[in-house]
Amino acid sequence: MIEIVPSILSADFARLADDIARVERGGAKMLHLDVMDGHFVPNLTIGPPVVESVRKATKLHLDVHLMIENPERFVTAFVQAGANSVSVHYEATRHLDGVLGMIRKAGAMAGVVLNPATPVAVLEEVVEVADYVLLMSVNPGFGGQKLIPYVLQKVRRLAALRREKRLALPIEIDGGVHKENLAEVVRAGCDWIVTGSAIFHSADPEATLREMREIAVQAAGVVC
Ligand code: DX5
Ligand code: ZN
C-alpha cells in the first residue's frame, strides 16, 4: 500500500495541531517527524516533548526520523513519547544492529536511513532485521530541496535486494518529492513517500495531499 507521508518540518509549528488535522482530512495515515541535533545535520528541530504533544493530537502513525549522532541515547525516549516507527541513520551509529534491536524492544518499528551517497550494498545484512528502509533523496537537514535523481537508482537496487531476499519491508523515500516527480518515485518502487514543503507550503494542504494520493494510486496501477 503506497502512503504519502507528510513531514511536519514544513508545517506551521505555531499551529501544528491545525496542520495535522488538515492532512488527516486529506487522507494521511502516517506523519513524518524530523528530529535534528545540529551535529549530524546543520539544523536543530524537535525532541520527545513535541512528539508527546503530537501523540495527544492525532491517532496517525508517527514516523520519527532521527538525524542525530549516537541515536542509541534517545530511541527509547522517542518510542515512549509515542513514536510508532523510529529510523536511525546508518552513518550516525557504530552499532546499527543494536540500535534497531533497542527500537523494537521499546515497541516500535525499526528503520535504517541511508544518506544519498551511501550505497544500498551496506544494507546487505541489516535489511534482514530492519522493519523498513528510508532512502534520503536530499542531503538531510532542510525541507524544500531538489530530489537527487541518482537516488531513484538506489530505490530500484533496494527493491531488487528485497525481492532477492523475499522480504516485504517498506521502502521509504524522503526529500524533494512533489506532484511532478511523484509518479516516477512510485514506479521506482517506493512505498512510503515523505513530502513536506509540497504539502504544507501549498495553498491547500488537504487538497494537495488528496491529489498526490490519487497520482500515487494511478502510478502504482492499483485500486485501493
Ligand atoms: C530533510 C527531512 C525531510 C524533509 C522533506 O532532512 O528529513 O523529511 O522534511 O521535506 P521536503 O519534502 O520539503 O523535501
Ligand atoms: Zn525526514
Side-chain angles (χ1 to χ4, degrees):
M1 180 63 201
I2 310 277
E3 293 298 343
I4 307 292
V5 189
S7 162
I8 63 165
L9 184 65
S10 297
D12 178 351
F13 275 72
R15 291 174 186 73
L16 205 40
D18 297 343
D19 274 358
I20 292 170
R22 283 195 182 89
V23 294
E24 280 181 326
R25 288 194 298 271
K29 303 281 184 301
M30 300 171 67
L31 204 59
H32 188 78
L33 293 90
D34 288 309
V35 177
M36 302 180 191
D37 66 357
H39 297 279
F40 183 71
V41 291
N43 199 354
L44 208 48
T45 60
I46 60 172
V50 175
V51 175
E52 241 169 84
S53 297
V54 169
R55 180 71 289 162
K56 290 183 200 128
T58 180
K59 294 206 177 346
L60 293 183
H61 174 120
L62 300 186
D63 175 45
V64 171
H65 172 195
L66 297 183
M67 287 161 274
I68 66 175
E69 294 291 353
N70 309 317
E72 47 275 11
R73 295 169 301 151
F74 286 100
V75 291
T76 304
F78 278 102
V79 178
Q80 287 169 346
N84 301 100
S85 54
V86 176
S87 56
V88 298
H89 273 259
Y90 163 85
E91 305 89 355
T93 176
R94 288 193 180 85
H95 307 290
L96 181 57
D97 181 274
V99 184
L100 296 175
M102 286 174 73
I103 298 167
R104 283 180 151 178
K105 187 157 172 268
M109 291 175 72
V112 54
V113 194
L114 297 186
N115 276 337
T118 304
V120 165
V122 303
L123 296 173
E124 189 71 34
E125 284 67 31
V126 82
V127 77
E128 308 265 358
V129 294
D131 293 307
Y132 62 104
V133 174
L134 195 169
L135 297 180
M136 289 308 297
S137 35
V138 296
N139 290 297
F142 300 91
Q145 301 179 76
K146 273 178 74 57
L147 181 139
I148 298 169
Y150 67 70
V151 173
L152 295 181
Q153 268 310 95
K154 287 178 67 175
V155 172
R156 295 184 186 100
R157 272 197 286 281
L158 178 56
L161 177 65
R162 178 173 63 178
R163 273 194 302 276
E164 181 196 310
K165 290 184 175 271
R166 292 187 172 61
L167 297 169
L169 88 167
I171 297 174
E172 184 171 22
I173 192 166
D174 187 6
V177 180
H178 45 65
K179 279 189 280 192
E180 291 69 34
N181 61 17
L182 176 56
E184 188 185 9
V185 165
V186 170
R187 284 195 291 269
C190 296
D191 305 289
W192 297 352
I193 299 164
V194 177
T195 178
S197 50
I199 298 269
F200 290 112
H201 293 175
S202 74
D204 184 342
E206 180 182 339
T208 304
L209 181 52
R210 283 192 197 292
E211 265 178 79
M212 292 184 81
R213 284 165 53 80
E214 191 45 44
I215 293 168
V217 164
Q218 297 300 326
V222 295
V223 180
C224 55

